[in-house]
Amino acid sequence: MSLFSTTYDVIVVGGGHAGSEAAAASANMGAHTLLITMSLQNIAQMSCNPAMGGIAKGQIVREIDALGGYSAIVTDKTAIQFKMLNKSKGPAMWSPRAQSDRMRFAEEWRNMLEKTDNLDFYQDSVNGLLFDGDTIVGVKTALGLEIKARSVIVTAGTFLNGLIHIGEKTFGGGRAGESASTGITEDLVAKGFESGRMKTGTPPRVDARSLDFSKMTEQPGDENPQKFSYSPETKPLTKQRSCYLTYTNPEVHELLREGFDRSPMFNGRIQSVGPRYCPSVEDKIDRFASKERHQMFIEPEGWNTVEIYVNGFSTSLPEDVQDKAIRSVEGFENVKFLRYGYAIEYDYFPPTQLRHTLETKMIKGLYFAGQINGTTGYEEAASQGLMAGINAALKIQKKDPFILKRNEAYIGVLIDDLITKGTDEPYRMFTSRAEYRTLLRQDNADLRLTPRSFEIGLASIDRMDRVIQKKEKTALLLDFLTKFSVKKEVINPILERKDLALVSQSMKLFKIATRPQLNFDDLMAIPELKAFVSENNMDAEIIEQAEIQLKYSGYIEKEKNNADKLNRLENVSIPSSFDYNKVQSISFEAREKLNKIKPISISQASRISGVTPSDISVLLVYMGR
């Protein structure tokens, strides 16, 4: 079929992490999908650090996997190191993170997309959108093609009117070596959309052969690494590459300060807002002037490359300043640069202009995902792409939208935060943003989300069968722990080895297992437990799940009760045509915010900045509640 005569169900603009997940999701749900990208060689490129996951971000990657996305599988297949962060804390804080082989990551993504049915590819730059009144009908490309579609998902990353800064040099670009995208912003603003500018940055890449790693602290992966995907298609790493840790120092800081007068951040050329939680090195030494050193993580870009990512040294200072300053870092005395750090400014659209489905309020069939919505990070982008792809397909199929609540997923928290509160700085996910993080653990994303994804036709029957088996085996193990009494002669030697209080009589095993100082590895010395686990083929995942549910049952139950209360307010829906101007008893600020955001429920309305509890009470009374 010709591009000129085909009307696609979904066109995805941009082949980054958001675009790749969007294209995969819509195609796997049966929508005829076209992925348009400026470079087919750069699909899902890791533009910044060569890693996936981290605190809260790792939970998002596992949620993407549980829903049927590709990010976790690609990460597992191309990882060079794996770590479970925060293991010293409770399971709500455990966060998986993997270093990736950057070239293999992009290659594997492309391989997986090319094996996806219903998905076509086209290399070109989209420089305009086609509308019929308040409905999207296609896109215009730089070559002059007009390609028709029933829906369009824009995932433009940092490319919309992108501007790169290195010292006093400024030039257009979406990232190093690639041109910016123009035209889309202008078309959207002409339609009445509000746009803004944001900034992000990236550190230098250097040659590993020029570094002295003996002066740094080695950072190996976990001794027994896990993996991201719940699928048996991937396996944990059997070998890993180490990262390294070093630090800046007062001499480095002084050399960097000498270049501040030529820094685009300080001389006014960059006026947009950068990521608060991933600041540039010049920002760090300016804001934290009393701090004598800052961490630098030295991260290899792959198995067989000498390219090193200098995490913690993001900068847009002039090249000579970067070069001079970094040589005063331990181990960098003879460094050779492969490329210098830079900052990039780009257009975004405040996400309060979106619905929970990520469809725009003003234009039917038009969806935004990723950095265009003011977020930062591969994981946040990928999750939005997945949800936009799902909802675009569902809308074409005339099915109900797929929306995740705040107590169901970090993805639900992310999207609700964006469309309810908006953001005027690059948004990054943290565990602290989720009020139900005990429910939203990385270990149970499949239990939470795979059944829901299976219902809409994305998660496979094999995935669903594994979730059912995991639930059944976990329940079976918990039942055994509840019913089995362990003799004092068996359990006391185990307690003694852990220097814990002994028992004076036989006791139900679950009472012993709830002791925080004991874990299942200790209890596996009980012959009956070991035999039961073996007979029922219970792997480490089942044991971990049972242990968490047992030890944290009180906290889990409390959060479930709180979530149920929230959901009762979620069920009090507000019609999209509701006129807040008629409700005179609410404050002027609340009326202004409610008219702008148009919340779909009382619960969402209560989370809008400027809407008070008394305003919510008035609305509840007005709606007969």
Side-chain angles (χ1 to χ4, degrees), residues 109-162:
W109 249 113
R110 180 163 174 173
N111 288 341
M112 290 192 70
L113 288 172
E114 288 185 356
K115 292 173 187 171
T116 301
D117 292 337
N118 303 313
L119 180 56
D120 294 340
F121 303 89
Y122 176 56
Q123 179 170 296
D124 200 348
S125 175
V126 172
N127 61 4
L129 302 173
L130 301 174
F131 305 100
D132 180 5
D134 63 352
T135 302
I136 194 85
V137 293
V139 301
K140 294 179 291 188
T141 77
L143 283 179
L145 274 68
E146 292 193 352
I147 309 174
K148 298 299 175 64
R150 295 179 180 88
S151 61
V152 173
I153 304 172
V154 180
T155 70
T158 58
F159 281 77
L160 291 182
N161 293 317

Side-chain angles (χ1 to χ4, degrees), residues 83-212:
K83 277 189 172 183
M84 186 65 76
L85 307 179
N86 285 337
K87 278 293 280 186
S88 61
K89 299 179 181 179
M93 304 299 289
W94 299 350
S95 302
R97 184 181 191 272
Q99 291 292 136
S100 297
D101 185 310
R102 191 164 67 90
M103 288 183 285
R104 289 192 60 220
F105 185 92
E107 179 188 28
E108 186 60 35
W109 249 113
R110 180 163 174 173
N111 288 341
M112 290 192 70
L113 288 172
E114 288 185 356
K115 292 173 187 171
T116 301
D117 292 337
N118 303 313
L119 180 56
D120 294 340
F121 303 89
Y122 176 56
Q123 179 170 296
D124 200 348
S125 175
V126 172
N127 61 4
L129 302 173
L130 301 174
F131 305 100
D132 180 5
D134 63 352
T135 302
I136 194 85
V137 293
V139 301
K140 294 179 291 188
T141 77
L143 283 179
L145 274 68
E146 292 193 352
I147 309 174
K148 298 299 175 64
R150 295 179 180 88
S151 61
V152 173
I153 304 172
V154 180
T155 70
T158 58
F159 281 77
L160 291 182
N161 293 317
L163 202 58
I164 292 173
H165 299 269
I166 303 178
E168 295 167 297
K169 302 180 181 75
T170 301
F171 47 93
R175 60 182 164 221
E178 296 181 61
S179 59
S181 172
T182 59
I184 292 177
T185 297
E186 292 73 16
D187 279 0
L188 290 169
V189 169
K191 277 288 185 182
F193 282 86
E194 176 192 349
S195 73
R197 295 284 277 177
M198 279 190 179
K199 145 186 127 57
T200 189
T202 193
R205 272 56 156 195
V206 301
D207 191 328
R209 297 169 297 183
S210 66
L211 303 181
D212 186 349

Side-chain angles (χ1 to χ4, degrees), residues 208-393:
R209 297 169 297 183
S210 66
L211 303 181
D212 186 349
F213 291 101
S214 68
K215 295 182 177 180
M216 306 179 198
T217 305
E218 187 174 4
Q219 302 279 298
D222 287 349
E223 189 174 340
N224 296 302
Q226 299 180 39
K227 63 191 187 84
F228 269 105
S229 180
Y230 294 99
S231 168
E233 182 182 342
T234 65
K235 305 295 179 190
L237 289 168
T238 55
K239 63 172 185 172
Q240 302 184 72
R241 275 201 74 173
S242 289
C243 298
Y244 290 83
L245 174 65
T246 187
Y247 297 89
T248 62
N249 56 56
E251 184 183 353
V252 174
H253 298 179
E254 196 51 48
L255 290 167
L256 289 169
R257 283 193 190 95
E258 288 176 11
F260 276 12
D261 61 329
R262 294 157 62 206
S263 164
M265 275 188 55
F266 295 112
N267 63 18
R269 284 214 323 282
I270 293 180
Q271 296 185 336
S272 49
V273 182
R276 177 192 302 260
Y277 303 103
C278 189
S280 65
V281 67
E282 56 263 41
D283 199 18
K284 283 190 282 192
I285 64 174
D286 182 57
R287 281 165 51 191
F288 309 107
S290 60
K291 198 167 182 179
E292 292 197 343
R293 66 177 193 171
H294 296 281
Q295 289 182 326
M296 290 168 56
F297 289 98
I298 313 309
E299 301 177 350
E301 294 262 17
W303 286 115
N304 303 308
T305 178
V306 298
E307 190 170 358
I308 293 289
Y309 179 88
V310 189
N311 195 338
F313 207 83
S314 177
T315 181
S316 58
L317 284 164
E319 306 96 299
D320 59 312
V321 177
Q322 293 186 38
D323 193 291
K324 190 176 178 182
I326 207 168
R327 289 180 187 278
S328 294
V329 174
E330 287 275 312
F332 277 74
E333 293 83 358
N334 299 304
V335 67
K336 291 181 180 177
F337 279 76
L338 298 181
R339 55 184 163 126
Y340 291 99
Y342 63 87
I344 182 165
E345 285 187 288
Y346 55 93
D347 292 340
Y348 86 105
F349 289 81
T352 50
Q353 300 170 101
L354 302 175
R355 305 182 193 280
H356 274 90
T357 57
L358 298 181
E359 184 181 23
T360 64
K361 292 173 182 174
M362 273 190 279
I363 302 295
K364 297 185 185 80
L366 177 63
Y367 298 76
F368 293 165
Q371 284 177 284
I372 192 172
N373 291 335
T375 60
T376 179
Y378 308 143
E379 304 83 1
E380 290 90 340
S383 68
Q384 292 171 69
L386 177 76
M387 296 300 286
I390 289 172
N391 280 303

Side-chain angles (χ1 to χ4, degrees), residues 533-560:
V533 166
S534 178
E535 287 164 13
N536 290 282
N537 296 315
M538 292 173 173
D539 58 19
E541 189 179 3
I542 303 297
I543 292 169
E544 180 186 73
Q545 192 58 220
E547 186 171 16
I548 289 170
Q549 289 188 26
L550 188 71
K551 289 189 173 180
Y552 295 88
S553 58
Y555 298 103
I556 292 169
E557 202 55 42
K558 184 178 179 182
E559 282 203 357
K560 279 182 179 174

Side-chain angles (χ1 to χ4, degrees), residues 574-575 577-595 599 602 605 611-624:
I574 303 174
S577 58
F578 188 85
D579 184 2
Y580 295 97
N581 294 320
K582 292 180 179 177
V583 188
Q584 294 300 313
S585 303
I586 60 175
S587 68
F588 176 79
E589 183 184 2
R591 191 176 300 114
E592 190 178 58
K593 296 278 182 72
L594 290 163
N595 274 322
I602 290 290
V611 177
T612 66
S614 62
D615 294 324
I616 295 300
S617 297
V618 170
L619 286 175
L620 283 168
V621 169
Y622 200 86
M623 303 182 87

